[in-house]
């Protein structure tokens, strides 16, 4: 009797377990089905800035300081102990004050083309992520740095059809190795005008001023109006007197050679539309100029030389959010479709993913200054993913495979994290961030002790010194690794260890997008 009863009990419990397993299985299948059914649904729209990501906040606070390192002129509230006043007489021979602005890289040149690009990207960052920057007390420093450049650009635009685009002689400048505070050589001015046009540099400067006018519209309306007036004049000059500045001024080809001006004309017109609401600028980018210059359907790399990818993303926000009197016309949709092609090319699992990347996944395009492209690409991707989230766009389709804003964000973080030290070298390429970063940055001011007494040529001993830099070029984003993910930290290796102001602009943009999350601003106005 006892043995038979035990057998019955075991069978009963087995039956209960089988039924329970079936119930659990059915629940799991139902949940998975529900998840599948909701895969096409948009993620919730982010609210105001949320929890702070301390890693990116710390990196942003460091990155933004490089603008202070690069400032020329009479420094106000100087935060960099080893920097002092410099370039105070820049422009004086022409009776114009060009003492402000920023030095381009490790040298002491003021190149207007990349400097204006720096200002445009910094403006764009503030307009898109100002609330996130403010959450970590970096909005005001960014605005101050932007104004330091736009003050220079205003003075450089001496009349409607004249723009000073360079301060200093690059050939002579590069024969010196000295602190900017000790410069004594003449610093000639180079300009574009109706006889020697420069549509590219004039239009980029117009974009800088138009975008900055939006930044200062509320806090400094008078200054904003001044910027907008200059932007309109410069765009008209650029459009009416077409030509490459590097053909008008052959000497610049060695340093910042421009490969075209159509991208800058579209870029400037796009920013002027955002700043004014004037539909003539909107029609400009959609009409014959768009057909001639936009290169629809062909993804490009965003940089100081090529603004097409940036223009496509900037115009996509109109497609996502609309603007008064606009619609998703064929011309506008072509910009958005090309922007999507740019994004699809960046995502590593996309069928159209670019092969231009390292084994560890860093976008890698150029041996010189390799980090400018991955950082700029990630910045554009961050913007696009935020437009998708805020407009409740669930996915982007890449040749039949779908990706969500979260997928795009994963790529964005991967590029930022690589730069900040998650790479085979275990090195941060942002100077001052982390435990290991470049010590031999190719930067004159950083390489020479403050109390050193050197002239133009005898200062080269500091370039050739085997000692680390005595001063930290805080916030500098150096050139970066080779494609095989090696890096030689040597002051003479300018290919890899020279920073630039425009690198810092896209880096500040990228980090600002990652500090926290919030919904995108639907209108800059």
């Amino acid at each position: 009797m006892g043995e038979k009863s035990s057998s019955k009990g075991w069978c009963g419990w087995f039956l209960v377990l089988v039924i329970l397993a079936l119930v659990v299985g059915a629940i799991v299948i139902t949940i998975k089905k529900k998840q599948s059914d909701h895969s096409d649904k948009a993620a919730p729209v982010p609210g105001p800035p949320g929890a702070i990501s301390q890693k990116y906040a710390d990196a942003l606070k460091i990155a933004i300081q490089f603008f202070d390192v690069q400032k020329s002129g009479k420094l106000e509230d100087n935060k960099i102990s080893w920097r002092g006043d410099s370039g105070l007489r820049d422009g004086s021979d022409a009776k114009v004050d060009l003492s402000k602005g920023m030095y381009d890289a490790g040298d002491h040149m003021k190149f207007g083309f990349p400097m204006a690009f720096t200002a445009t990207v910094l403006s764009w960052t503030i307009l898109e992520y100002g609330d996130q920057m403010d959450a970590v007390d970096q909005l005001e420093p960014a605005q101050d740095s932007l104004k330091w450049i736009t003050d220079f650009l205003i003075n450089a635009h001496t009349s409607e059809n004249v723009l000073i685009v360079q301060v200093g002689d690059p050939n002579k400048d590069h024969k010196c190795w000295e602190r900017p505070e000790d410069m004594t050589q003449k610093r000639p001015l180079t300009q574009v005008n109706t006889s020697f046009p420069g549509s590219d540099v004039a239009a980029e400067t117009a974009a800088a001023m138009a975008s900055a006018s939006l930044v200062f519209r509320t806090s400094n309306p008078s200054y904003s109006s001044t910027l907008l007036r200059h932007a309109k004049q410069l765009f008209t000059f650029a459009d009416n007197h077409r030509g490459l500045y590097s053909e008008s001024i052959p000497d610049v080809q060695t340093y910042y050679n421009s490969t075209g001006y159509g991208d800058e004309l579209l870029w400037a017109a796009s920013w002027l539309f955002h700043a004014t609401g004037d539909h003539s600028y909107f029609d400009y980018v959609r009409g014959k100029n768009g057909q001639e210059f936009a290169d629809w359907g062909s993804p490009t790399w965003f940089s100081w030389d090529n603004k097409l990818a940036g223009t496509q993303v900037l115009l996509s926000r109109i497609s996502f959010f609309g603007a008064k009197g606009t619609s998703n016309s064929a011309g506008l949709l072509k910009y958005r479709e090309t922007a999507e092609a740019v994004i699809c090319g960046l995502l590593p699992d996309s069928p159209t993913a670019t092969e231009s990347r390292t084994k560890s996944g860093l976008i890698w395009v150029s041996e010189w200054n390799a980090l400018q492209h991955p950082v700029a690409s990630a910045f554009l991707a961050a913007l696009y993913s935020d437009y998708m989230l805020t407009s409740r766009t669930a996915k982007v389709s890449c040749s039949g495979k779908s990706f969500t804003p979260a997928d795009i964000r994963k790529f964005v973080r991967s590029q930022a994290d690589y730069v900040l030290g998650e790479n085979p070298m275990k090195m941060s390429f942002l100077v001052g961030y982390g435990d290991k970063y470049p010590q031999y940055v190719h930067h004159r001011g950083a390489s020479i002790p403050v109390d050193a007494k050197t002239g133009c040529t005898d200062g080269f001993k500091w370039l050739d010194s085997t000692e680390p830099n005595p001063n930290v070029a805080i916030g500098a984003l150096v050139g970066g690794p080779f494609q095989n993910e090696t890096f030689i930290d040597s002051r003479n290796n300018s290919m890899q260890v020279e920073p630039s102001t425009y690198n810092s602009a896209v880096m500040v943009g990228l980090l600002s997008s990652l500090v926290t999350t919030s919904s995108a601003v639907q209108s800059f106005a």
Side-chain angles (χ1 to χ4, degrees), residues 15-188:
L15 187 61
V16 169
L17 288 171
V18 169
I19 294 171
L20 186 62
L22 289 171
V23 170
V24 170
I27 291 171
V28 169
I29 291 169
T30 302
I31 290 172
K32 285 190 173 181
K33 186 174 186 303
K34 283 186 176 181
Q35 287 176 338
S36 175
D37 291 343
H38 283 78
S39 62
D40 286 343
K41 290 190 176 180
V45 178
I52 301 297
S53 173
Q54 201 57 51
K55 173 174 70 173
Y56 300 125
D58 291 344
L60 176 60
K61 290 174 185 178
I62 289 168
I64 215 160
Q65 292 181 65
F66 190 62
F67 296 126
D68 289 328
V69 170
Q70 296 301 94
K71 282 181 178 176
S72 168
K74 188 167 184 59
L75 302 186
E76 303 163 2
D77 190 24
N78 182 20
K79 299 178 181 67
I80 307 299
S81 62
W82 50 273
R83 280 301 324 277
D85 298 343
S86 64
L88 297 178
R89 290 189 50 77
D90 282 358
S92 59
D93 289 348
K95 295 182 172 54
V96 57
D97 181 7
L98 297 177
S99 60
K100 284 188 175 182
M102 294 184 186
Y103 300 119
D104 177 62
D107 55 16
H108 299 147
M109 289 298 300
K110 295 178 186 175
F111 291 113
F113 195 29
M115 194 196 303
F117 174 72
T118 297
T120 311
V121 171
L122 192 50
S123 293
W124 198 3
T125 299
I126 293 168
L127 291 168
E128 300 278 12
Y129 298 117
D131 57 347
Q132 300 185 184
M133 301 172 89
D134 196 32
V136 291
D137 300 321
Q138 296 308 299
L139 177 57
E140 188 175 332
Q143 291 171 327
D144 290 345
S145 294
L146 172 62
K147 190 172 184 296
W148 202 267
I149 298 176
T150 54
D151 283 352
F152 171 90
L153 297 177
I154 288 171
N155 289 352
H157 185 213
T158 55
S159 64
E160 285 194 29
N161 296 328
V162 176
L163 176 67
I164 297 168
V165 299
Q166 185 173 288
V167 179
D169 180 332
N171 296 320
K172 291 181 179 177
D173 181 87
H174 286 75
K175 290 177 181 176
C176 290
W177 193 269
E178 60 188 341
R179 285 166 40 80
E181 294 80 1
D182 299 330
M183 286 188 298
T184 57
Q185 62 269 33
K186 285 189 173 294
R187 290 171 59 78

Side-chain angles (χ1 to χ4, degrees), residues 111 166 190 245-247 249-258:
F111 291 113
Q166 185 173 288
T190 305
Y245 96 118
S246 45
E247 289 182 357
I249 313 162
D251 285 352
V252 305
Q253 293 176 14
T254 307
Y255 302 96
Y256 288 101
N257 183 50
S258 175

